[in-house]
Amino acid sequence: MKSKSVKKLLSIAGSDSGAGAGIQADLKTFAALGAYGTSVITAVTAQNTLGVSDVHPIPPSHVSSQIEAVLSDIGTDGIKTGMLANQEIINAVVETLSNYDVPKLVVDPVMISTTGARLIAEDAVESLRSNLLPIADVITPNVSEAEALIGKRIETMEDLRESARLILELGPRAVVITGGFETGPATDLVYDGVEYKAFTSARINTSSTHGTGCTFASALTVLLSEGINLFESVSQAKRFVQSSMRNAYVIGDGKGPIDHFHNLIDYNNRT
Ligand code: PXL
């Protein structure tokens, strides 16, 4: 038995049968970064790289039971939420977490899949806004999720800064608006209520983009749980996503997964 301690991270999210996004991406990220991941499944999606064909939400009381099972025994150094599917599940998560000390909560307000499927009921956005955001340490919307949260179009860098400020007013301690606009550089804008910082890189021309949002938020949760400050954590999480995209294999005919373990396994020399 090893005596060295390991960071424990919990992902509360949906299952992606194609394993590019959702719980599967989160657990791969936790493992690749040396942490022990646990998972609470909110919904099971029938999905591949081309699209989502079916969604089966888990009963809210069972989502609560999973959280209680993990936190009452294993505990956690940080929690990341992803697809929460509907209002009832969001409220069950918020209520159950209120019984525990949650060290770090990163909320990825998942709304639409990489392939364009809706992953949250429309009337649930209000529950995200009023019930979950106030308890979040960091929220990581992409531009379209940020637009849905504030109910306004975001077209310029100035709009982006303004939307980060409006999202912070909803209660989280910090916001990272990820990915930038559809064309042009990939810019992640961070705002902690004091300072804006933009992390910009050239957009990578690839179809391996499935699960990049999930991976970024999970990596950020690991790094924050290690006590690394927000700006440095964002910078390192962004680099992890970029190198996982650059080293991806082509899997499936659509938006393929990235390779979380590109640093770990030398596939070509495996016997
Ligand atoms: O990347 C957002 C996301 C989150 N959760 C699940 C998903 C996706 C995107 O496809 O399938 C389960």
XYZ file of all heavy atoms in Angstrom, residues 14-16 21-22 45 47 52 83 110 112-114 119 210-211 213-214, ligand 1:
130
model
N -22.771 13.783 -16.912
C -23.449 12.773 -17.717
C -22.462 11.786 -18.321
O -21.284 12.089 -18.491
N -22.969 10.592 -18.633
C -22.127 9.576 -19.295
C -22.220 9.742 -20.809
O -23.301 9.939 -21.356
C -22.632 8.182 -18.902
O -22.084 7.209 -19.763
N -21.087 9.667 -21.485
C -21.016 9.692 -22.950
C -20.544 8.311 -23.400
O -19.398 7.939 -23.162
C -20.030 10.792 -23.376
C -19.650 10.737 -24.861
O -20.189 9.877 -25.581
O -18.813 11.543 -25.282
N -16.537 12.768 -24.074
C -16.887 13.884 -23.195
C -17.446 13.345 -21.885
O -17.276 12.170 -21.553
C -17.908 14.786 -23.889
N -18.096 14.228 -21.135
C -18.811 13.814 -19.930
C -17.923 13.137 -18.901
O -16.721 13.381 -18.823
N -26.152 9.190 -21.736
C -26.432 9.544 -23.129
C -26.002 8.401 -24.043
O -24.992 7.741 -23.800
C -25.705 10.841 -23.578
O -24.296 10.587 -23.692
C -25.942 11.993 -22.615
N -24.478 7.993 -27.390
C -23.748 9.027 -28.113
C -22.509 8.452 -28.794
O -21.882 7.521 -28.305
C -23.335 10.091 -27.084
C -22.622 11.272 -27.644
C -22.393 12.392 -26.643
O -21.852 13.412 -27.017
N -22.789 12.258 -25.397
N -25.782 12.745 -30.467
C -26.446 12.151 -29.310
C -27.776 11.600 -29.814
O -28.574 12.345 -30.377
C -26.703 13.228 -28.221
C -27.470 12.649 -27.051
C -25.399 13.859 -27.768
N -22.797 18.042 -17.208
C -24.204 17.944 -17.623
C -25.086 17.611 -16.422
O -24.892 16.590 -15.770
C -24.326 16.830 -18.676
C -25.745 16.543 -19.078
S -25.823 15.086 -20.167
C -27.577 15.062 -20.511
N -22.848 22.999 -18.718
C -23.039 22.295 -19.986
C -24.463 22.479 -20.497
O -25.425 22.218 -19.782
C -22.748 20.795 -19.781
C -23.160 19.992 -20.997
C -21.278 20.582 -19.457
N -25.084 22.480 -24.498
C -25.185 21.877 -25.832
C -23.946 21.002 -26.053
O -22.842 21.424 -25.730
C -25.189 22.988 -26.928
C -26.227 24.078 -26.630
C -25.373 22.396 -28.331
C -27.642 23.763 -26.995
N -24.119 19.802 -26.633
C -22.960 18.934 -26.881
C -22.135 19.481 -28.045
O -22.618 20.316 -28.822
C -23.422 17.519 -27.207
O -23.855 17.459 -28.545
N -20.906 18.957 -28.142
C -20.013 19.351 -29.247
C -20.704 19.147 -30.597
O -20.456 19.868 -31.556
C -18.737 18.457 -29.213
O -18.351 18.309 -27.851
C -17.617 19.049 -30.014
N -28.344 19.402 -23.908
C -28.050 18.512 -22.776
C -28.653 19.016 -21.470
O -28.461 18.426 -20.418
C -26.528 18.344 -22.624
C -25.809 17.685 -23.805
C -24.307 17.669 -23.585
C -26.322 16.275 -24.066
N -14.081 16.796 -29.252
C -15.140 16.284 -28.379
C -14.623 16.203 -26.939
O -13.614 15.544 -26.678
C -15.537 14.886 -28.876
C -16.871 14.428 -28.404
N -18.025 14.673 -29.104
C -17.235 13.743 -27.310
C -19.041 14.143 -28.460
N -18.592 13.584 -27.368
N -15.282 16.887 -26.029
C -14.888 16.795 -24.629
C -13.823 17.793 -24.187
O -13.298 17.686 -23.082
N -14.259 20.950 -23.455
C -14.793 21.760 -22.348
C -14.767 20.987 -21.035
O -14.367 21.507 -19.993
N -15.185 19.715 -21.105
C -15.190 18.850 -19.908
C -13.763 18.695 -19.384
O -13.512 18.757 -18.171
C -15.713 17.456 -20.244
S -17.339 17.430 -21.022
O -18.899 18.742 -23.612
C -20.128 18.808 -23.000
C -20.703 17.485 -22.639
C -20.925 17.183 -21.338
N -21.472 16.018 -20.914
C -21.811 15.081 -21.798
C -21.597 15.305 -23.145
C -21.032 16.541 -23.588
C -20.746 16.792 -24.978
O -20.908 16.023 -25.874
O -21.921 14.364 -23.988
C -22.417 13.796 -21.311
